[in-house]
Amino acid sequence: LTRLSSTKWKGQAVDVRTLKESESFVLKLEQVLNTIAYSGVLIMFFIIVIGVVNALRMTIRERTREIGTVRSMGMDRREVRLLFLFETVSLSVFACLAGLILGLILMGLGGLIHIPSTGIFSMLLDNGHLHFMVRPSNVLINISLILAITAITAFFPARRAANLHPAEALRHTAS
Protein backbone atom coordinates (compact mmCIF):
# COMPACT_ATOMS: atom_id res chain seq x y z
CA LEU A 1 0.00 0.00 0.00
CA THR A 2 2.92 2.34 0.68
CA ARG A 3 4.36 1.64 -2.76
CA LEU A 4 1.01 2.40 -4.35
CA SER A 5 0.69 5.78 -2.62
CA SER A 6 4.08 6.86 -3.98
CA THR A 7 2.94 6.36 -7.59
CA LYS A 8 0.53 8.46 -9.62
CA TRP A 9 -2.16 5.76 -9.59
CA LYS A 10 -5.63 7.30 -9.17
CA GLY A 11 -7.82 4.17 -9.37
CA GLN A 12 -9.22 1.88 -6.72
CA ALA A 13 -6.72 -0.24 -4.77
CA VAL A 14 -7.44 -3.52 -3.02
CA ASP A 15 -5.21 -4.88 -0.28
CA VAL A 16 -5.08 -8.67 -0.55
CA ARG A 17 -3.57 -10.69 2.28
CA THR A 18 -3.22 -14.36 2.95
CA LEU A 19 -4.51 -15.98 6.12
CA LYS A 20 -0.95 -16.25 7.45
CA GLU A 21 -0.37 -12.51 7.01
CA SER A 22 -3.61 -11.66 8.84
CA GLU A 23 -2.91 -14.27 11.48
CA SER A 24 0.28 -12.52 12.61
CA PHE A 25 -1.71 -9.56 13.96
CA VAL A 26 -3.98 -11.83 15.98
CA LEU A 27 -1.01 -13.81 17.29
CA LYS A 28 0.76 -10.60 18.35
CA LEU A 29 -2.41 -9.46 20.10
CA GLU A 30 -2.64 -12.81 21.88
CA GLN A 31 0.99 -12.52 22.96
CA VAL A 32 0.39 -9.02 24.38
CA LEU A 33 -2.73 -10.18 26.25
CA ASN A 34 -0.84 -13.19 27.65
CA THR A 35 1.99 -10.94 28.82
CA ILE A 36 -0.49 -8.65 30.57
CA ALA A 37 -2.23 -11.64 32.16
CA TYR A 38 1.04 -13.21 33.36
CA SER A 39 2.15 -9.87 34.81
CA GLY A 40 -1.10 -9.67 36.74
CA VAL A 41 -0.68 -13.24 37.95
CA LEU A 42 2.86 -12.51 39.18
CA ILE A 43 1.59 -9.50 41.11
CA MET A 44 -1.18 -11.63 42.63
CA PHE A 45 1.34 -14.35 43.57
CA PHE A 46 3.46 -11.73 45.33
CA ILE A 47 0.40 -10.55 47.28
CA ILE A 48 -0.50 -14.16 48.08
CA VAL A 49 3.00 -14.86 49.38
CA ILE A 50 2.86 -11.83 51.67
CA GLY A 51 -0.61 -12.84 52.87
CA VAL A 52 0.38 -16.45 53.54
CA VAL A 53 3.51 -15.48 55.46
CA ASN A 54 1.64 -12.89 57.52
CA ALA A 55 -1.27 -15.23 58.26
CA LEU A 56 1.04 -18.07 59.22
CA ARG A 57 3.14 -15.86 61.49
CA MET A 58 -0.01 -14.66 63.24
CA THR A 59 -1.26 -18.23 63.56
CA ILE A 60 2.02 -19.35 65.08
CA ARG A 61 2.06 -16.39 67.46
CA GLU A 62 -1.51 -17.12 68.60
CA ARG A 63 -0.83 -20.85 68.97
CA THR A 64 2.54 -20.65 70.70
CA ARG A 65 1.21 -22.16 73.94
CA GLU A 66 -0.49 -24.93 71.93
CA ILE A 67 2.81 -25.66 70.18
CA GLY A 68 4.53 -25.79 73.55
CA THR A 69 1.91 -28.18 74.88
CA VAL A 70 2.15 -30.66 72.00
CA ARG A 71 5.96 -30.42 72.01
CA SER A 72 6.08 -31.12 75.75
CA MET A 73 3.81 -34.15 75.23
CA GLY A 74 6.29 -35.68 72.80
CA MET A 75 5.60 -34.27 69.33
CA ASP A 76 8.92 -33.71 67.62
CA ARG A 77 9.95 -30.71 65.52
CA ARG A 78 9.39 -32.49 62.21
CA GLU A 79 5.78 -33.31 63.13
CA VAL A 80 5.08 -29.70 64.19
CA ARG A 81 6.54 -28.42 60.93
CA LEU A 82 4.49 -30.94 58.91
CA LEU A 83 1.36 -30.01 60.85
CA PHE A 84 1.64 -26.35 59.85
CA LEU A 85 2.62 -27.20 56.28
CA PHE A 86 -0.31 -29.60 55.92
CA GLU A 87 -2.71 -27.03 57.35
CA THR A 88 -1.50 -24.28 55.01
CA VAL A 89 -1.45 -26.45 51.89
CA SER A 90 -4.91 -27.85 52.72
CA LEU A 91 -6.31 -24.33 53.00
CA SER A 92 -4.63 -23.49 49.72
CA VAL A 93 -6.19 -26.52 48.00
CA PHE A 94 -9.66 -25.52 49.17
CA ALA A 95 -9.08 -21.91 48.14
CA CYS A 96 -7.92 -23.04 44.67
CA LEU A 97 -10.97 -25.25 44.23
CA ALA A 98 -13.31 -22.48 45.39
CA GLY A 99 -11.60 -20.01 43.05
CA LEU A 100 -11.79 -22.46 40.16
CA ILE A 101 -15.50 -23.09 40.69
CA LEU A 102 -16.23 -19.37 41.09
CA GLY A 103 -14.16 -18.58 37.98
CA LEU A 104 -15.98 -21.19 35.90
CA ILE A 105 -19.34 -19.83 37.05
CA LEU A 106 -18.33 -16.25 36.22
CA MET A 107 -16.99 -17.30 32.81
CA GLY A 108 -20.26 -19.11 32.11
CA LEU A 109 -22.27 -16.05 33.09
CA GLY A 110 -19.94 -13.79 31.10
CA GLY A 111 -20.43 -15.96 28.05
CA LEU A 112 -24.20 -15.45 28.25
CA ILE A 113 -23.96 -11.67 27.91
CA HIS A 114 -24.47 -10.43 24.34
CA ILE A 115 -21.95 -7.76 23.35
CA PRO A 116 -22.87 -5.87 20.18
CA SER A 117 -19.64 -4.86 18.46
CA THR A 118 -18.59 -4.15 14.92
CA GLY A 119 -15.12 -2.78 15.62
CA ILE A 120 -11.84 -4.54 16.19
CA PHE A 121 -13.18 -5.96 19.47
CA SER A 122 -15.57 -8.15 17.48
CA MET A 123 -12.71 -10.49 16.55
CA LEU A 124 -12.57 -11.51 20.22
CA LEU A 125 -16.26 -12.45 20.23
CA ASP A 126 -18.04 -15.58 19.10
CA ASN A 127 -21.41 -14.53 17.64
CA GLY A 128 -21.49 -11.50 19.95
CA HIS A 129 -20.50 -13.46 23.06
CA LEU A 130 -17.24 -13.92 24.91
CA HIS A 131 -15.87 -17.42 24.52
CA PHE A 132 -13.63 -18.67 27.32
CA MET A 133 -11.37 -21.62 26.65
CA VAL A 134 -10.20 -23.40 29.77
CA ARG A 135 -7.49 -25.99 29.25
CA PRO A 136 -7.42 -28.58 32.04
CA SER A 137 -3.65 -28.91 31.71
CA ASN A 138 -3.21 -25.17 32.34
CA VAL A 139 -5.53 -25.35 35.34
CA LEU A 140 -3.52 -28.23 36.83
CA ILE A 141 -0.21 -26.47 36.16
CA ASN A 142 -1.45 -23.25 37.78
CA ILE A 143 -2.89 -25.02 40.82
CA SER A 144 0.34 -27.00 41.21
CA LEU A 145 2.33 -23.77 41.00
CA ILE A 146 0.12 -22.11 43.63
CA LEU A 147 0.47 -25.11 45.95
CA ALA A 148 4.25 -25.21 45.49
CA ILE A 149 4.58 -21.49 46.21
CA THR A 150 2.35 -21.85 49.25
CA ALA A 151 4.34 -24.81 50.58
CA ILE A 152 7.67 -23.05 50.05
CA THR A 153 6.36 -19.86 51.62
CA ALA A 154 4.87 -21.71 54.59
CA PHE A 155 8.02 -23.74 55.22
CA PHE A 156 9.98 -20.96 56.94
CA PRO A 157 7.32 -19.88 59.48
CA ALA A 158 6.53 -23.57 60.09
CA ARG A 159 10.21 -24.24 60.75
CA ARG A 160 10.25 -21.33 63.18
CA ALA A 161 7.26 -22.82 65.01
CA ALA A 162 8.92 -26.23 65.11
CA ASN A 163 12.08 -24.75 66.62
CA LEU A 164 10.24 -23.22 69.57
CA HIS A 165 11.50 -24.66 72.83
CA PRO A 166 8.54 -26.27 74.68
CA ALA A 167 9.23 -24.56 78.02
CA GLU A 168 9.54 -21.11 76.45
CA ALA A 169 6.40 -21.68 74.36
CA LEU A 170 4.42 -22.67 77.47
CA ARG A 171 5.55 -19.49 79.28
CA HIS A 172 4.43 -17.35 76.33
CA THR A 173 1.51 -15.05 77.06
CA ALA A 174 -0.76 -13.92 74.24
CA SER A 175 -0.50 -10.20 73.68
Side-chain angles (χ1 to χ4, degrees):
L1 193 59
T2 307
R3 287 180 291 165
L4 190 59
S5 64
S6 63
T7 65
K8 295 182 182 190
W9 177 257
K10 299 294 181 202
Q12 185 174 1
V14 177
D15 185 21
V16 179
R17 294 177 185 232
T18 65
L19 181 61
K20 289 240 184 238
E21 291 171 334
S22 298
E23 181 183 72
S24 67
F25 172 74
V26 175
L27 292 177
K28 286 179 186 176
L29 179 64
E30 179 188 17
Q31 187 178 21
V32 168
L33 291 175
N34 281 339
T35 302
I36 292 169
Y38 284 129
S39 299
V41 167
L42 287 176
I43 291 169
M44 286 190 294
F45 276 160
F46 182 69
I47 293 168
I48 289 169
V49 165
I50 291 172
V52 167
V53 168
N54 187 40
L56 200 53
R57 282 186 180 174
M58 293 305 295
T59 299
I60 290 168
R61 183 170 175 78
E62 291 170 357
R63 293 167 57 185
T64 301
R65 290 182 62 91
E66 179 184 329
I67 294 167
T69 302
V70 295
R71 289 272 288 128
S72 66
M73 291 176 19
M75 186 179 268
D76 64 359
R77 292 178 178 176
R78 181 179 163 275
E79 291 171 327
V80 171
R81 186 174 54 245
L82 287 176
L83 177 73
F84 279 101
L85 285 174
F86 179 75
E87 179 181 336
T88 305
V89 171
S90 296
L91 287 171
S92 184
V93 166
F94 291 124
C96 285
L97 292 176
L100 178 64
I101 291 168
L102 181 63
L104 290 173
I105 290 170
L106 289 175
M107 285 189 294
L109 292 174
L112 295 175
I113 299 171
H114 179 71
I115 303 171
S117 178
T118 56
I120 195 165
F121 185 67
S122 65
M123 76 176 175
L124 301 174
L125 301 175
D126 182 21
N127 292 328
H129 298 276
L130 290 173
H131 177 72
F132 298 98
M133 189 171 76
V134 179
R135 294 185 180 127
S137 61
N138 288 353
V139 170
L140 290 175
I141 289 170
N142 290 335
I143 287 176
S144 300
L145 183 63
I146 290 170
L147 294 178
I149 289 172
T150 302
I152 291 167
T153 303
F155 177 77
F156 298 104
R159 183 178 68 178
R160 183 171 176 247
N163 289 334
L164 286 174
H165 193 274
E168 289 178 23
L170 286 171
R171 281 193 295 261
H172 177 76
T173 58
S175 51

